[in-house]
Amino acid sequence: MSEETRSGTYAELAAVGPYGVHPGHALITMVEPHPGHEYAYNRWYEDDHYYAGAMAMPWMFAGRRWVATRELQELRYPEKSAIAAPVTAGCYLSTYWITEGRYDDHMKWTVGINRRLNRDGRVYQDRTHVFTAFQDHEATVYRDGAAGPRDYHALDHPYAGLVLQVIDAEGPERRGELLEWLRSRQLPRRLAGGPTALVTVFRPTPLPGDRMTYVKQVEGVDTRLTLLWFLERDPAEVWEEHFTGLETEVSEASLGRVELVAPFIPTVPGTDRYVDRLRG
C-alpha cells in the first residue's frame, strides 16, 4: 500500500515550503441546490464532500459551512447583482482557509481529487455554483485590535453569523485605492462598537484551465474584492442598524460598486437544520 500511495514522498514534502498558520488564501463557494434536491444535496455535502473534497486535502486547514434561510435571502442587496441572479440565489456558502504560500500545491491536489470524485460518481450534479472562487488574502481588520480571535481562528470560533460582501472597483487601477479606503477608513468605522468582530478581505484568483466544467471561470479577477464579516450576533437581528447602506458608502466614495451583500448563519454539522426554511 505504501508504494501505491507513495507514502515515502510525504516526509520529503513536509520538510520544505511554507507551513505557517496564516490564511493566505481562501476558497469561497456559494451554491444553490436545484429545487427538490435540498435535503439530498445537504447530506452529500456534509457527509462526504466537505471532507473528501475539501478538508482532507493538503494545506486546507479550516472550513465552515453557512446557510441563508429564505428570510435571510430576502435581506440581500442590490436587487440587480453581478454575482447572483436573482439576488436570492445561493443559499449555501462554504468557506475554507489555505496556508499562505501553498495555493499552487493545493490546486494541484484539488484538481486531481475532483477528477477522481467525478469519475467515481461522488459529485452531486443537481446544484449550481453561483459564486465560487479561490482568493488571495489582502487584509484583516479587527474591531478590538489585538484582543479576541485572529483571522486564522475565524472558521473555528463559534461566530453567530457571516456577511458576504463583494465589491467591484471602478477599474483595475482603482482596486488598490478601494482596498486602502476599506482597510483604513470604512471598515474601522463600521466595526467600532458593532456586532462584527473582524472582516477579512480577499481578491479572487483565476481558476486553472483544467477545472471541472460545472464551475465557471472567475470574473472580476482584476477589479473585485470579497469581504467576509464575522458576526457575534444573528445577522437578522442587526441588519438594519449595521448592514444597510454599504453600497451607498462605496458609491459616494467613487471607488466602485457593491455587487452583493448577503447574510448567513452557520449550519449545524450532521443535521438538516434550516433545510426546510430555504424556500419561500
Side-chain angles (χ1 to χ4, degrees), residues 19 31 41 58 64 84-85 220 254:
Y19 67 121
V31 173
Y41 168 79
R64 195 158 196 190
S254 299

Side-chain angles (χ1 to χ4, degrees), residues 193-212:
T196 303
L198 64 97
V199 180
T200 58
V201 185
F202 293 89
R203 58 176 173 82
T205 60
L207 287 169
D210 52 357
R211 69 191 183 280
M212 295 298 103

Side-chain angles (χ1 to χ4, degrees), residues 66 72 143 158-163 193-197 229-239 241-243 263-266:
W66 313 83
L72 291 176
R143 181 191 60 199
Y159 285 114
L162 177 140
V163 173
T196 303
W229 301 63
F230 290 90
L231 281 66
E232 296 172 331
R233 301 267 304 277
D234 185 318
E237 299 173 1
V238 299
W239 192 255
E241 181 180 358
H242 292 281
F243 286 97
F264 294 85
I265 53 177

Side-chain angles (χ1 to χ4, degrees), residues 5-17:
T5 59
R6 304 181 194 174
S7 298
T9 309
Y10 283 79
E12 298 174 24
L13 294 175
V16 296

Side-chain angles (χ1 to χ4, degrees), residues 206-228:
L207 287 169
D210 52 357
R211 69 191 183 280
M212 295 298 103
T213 56
Y214 52 79
V215 182
K216 66 181 181 180
Q217 185 54 270
V218 176
E219 300 172 348
V221 169
D222 296 326
T223 57
R224 186 161 287 171
L225 291 175
T226 306
L227 287 70
L228 300 176

Side-chain angles (χ1 to χ4, degrees), residues 27-265:
L27 170 59
I28 301 170
T29 175
M30 186 168 71
V31 173
E32 179 75 8
H34 295 171
H37 291 265
E38 295 85 357
Y39 282 93
Y41 168 79
N42 188 55
R43 290 274 44 86
W44 164 76
Y45 202 101
E46 288 208 338
D47 296 345
D48 188 13
H49 198 63
Y50 176 83
Y51 301 104
M55 294 305 298
M57 295 194 205
W59 308 113
M60 185 169 268
F61 67 88
R64 195 158 196 190
R65 288 188 78 214
W66 313 83
V67 60
T69 61
R70 189 63 189 178
E71 294 82 0
L72 291 176
Q73 294 167 35
E74 291 174 351
L75 295 176
R76 295 180 181 182
Y77 64 89
E79 184 178 353
K80 292 183 177 180
S81 165
I83 305 299
V87 72
T88 52
C91 55
Y92 281 106
L93 179 73
S94 296
T95 52
Y96 302 97
W97 291 165
I98 300 166
T99 301
E100 184 173 29
R102 289 295 191 170
Y103 175 77
D104 291 341
D105 297 335
H106 176 77
M107 288 305 298
K108 286 183 174 64
W109 190 284
T110 193
V111 169
I113 202 68
N114 276 286
R115 284 178 177 168
R116 184 180 181 185
L117 290 169
N118 268 276
R119 183 196 68 202
D120 294 346
R122 286 175 63 181
V123 174
Y124 199 87
Q125 302 295 339
D126 290 295
R127 92 280 197 214
T128 299
H129 280 261
V130 178
F131 177 71
T132 293
F134 284 88
Q135 315 246 352
D136 287 342
H137 180 260
E138 286 284 2
T140 300
V141 180
Y142 296 96
R143 181 191 60 199
D144 303 323
R150 303 290 88 190
D151 52 13
Y152 44 83
H153 300 126
L155 300 184
D156 296 307
H157 187 80
Y159 285 114
L162 177 140
V163 173
L164 169 68
Q165 180 184 9
V166 181
I167 310 174
D168 280 336
E170 290 291 344
E173 72 284 352
R174 303 294 303 278
R175 184 165 64 179
E177 187 180 352
L178 171 62
L179 174 63
E180 184 54 34
W181 176 77
L182 288 167
R183 179 166 42 195
S184 63
R185 296 181 60 187
Q186 200 244 13
L187 292 179
R189 182 178 58 79
R190 278 272 179 174
L191 289 177
T196 303
L198 64 97
V199 180
T200 58
V201 185
F202 293 89
R203 58 176 173 82
T205 60
L207 287 169
D210 52 357
R211 69 191 183 280
M212 295 298 103
T213 56
Y214 52 79
V215 182
K216 66 181 181 180
Q217 185 54 270
V218 176
E219 300 172 348
V221 169
D222 296 326
T223 57
R224 186 161 287 171
L225 291 175
T226 306
L227 287 70
L228 300 176
W229 301 63
F230 290 90
L231 281 66
E232 296 172 331
R233 301 267 304 277
D234 185 318
E237 299 173 1
V238 299
W239 192 255
E240 187 168 348
E241 181 180 358
H242 292 281
F243 286 97
T244 57
L246 290 174
E247 84 285 21
T248 303
E249 293 177 7
V250 174
S251 177
E252 289 178 348
S254 299
L255 292 171
R257 170 180 162 81
V258 170
E259 293 292 356
L260 183 65
V261 182
F264 294 85
I265 53 177

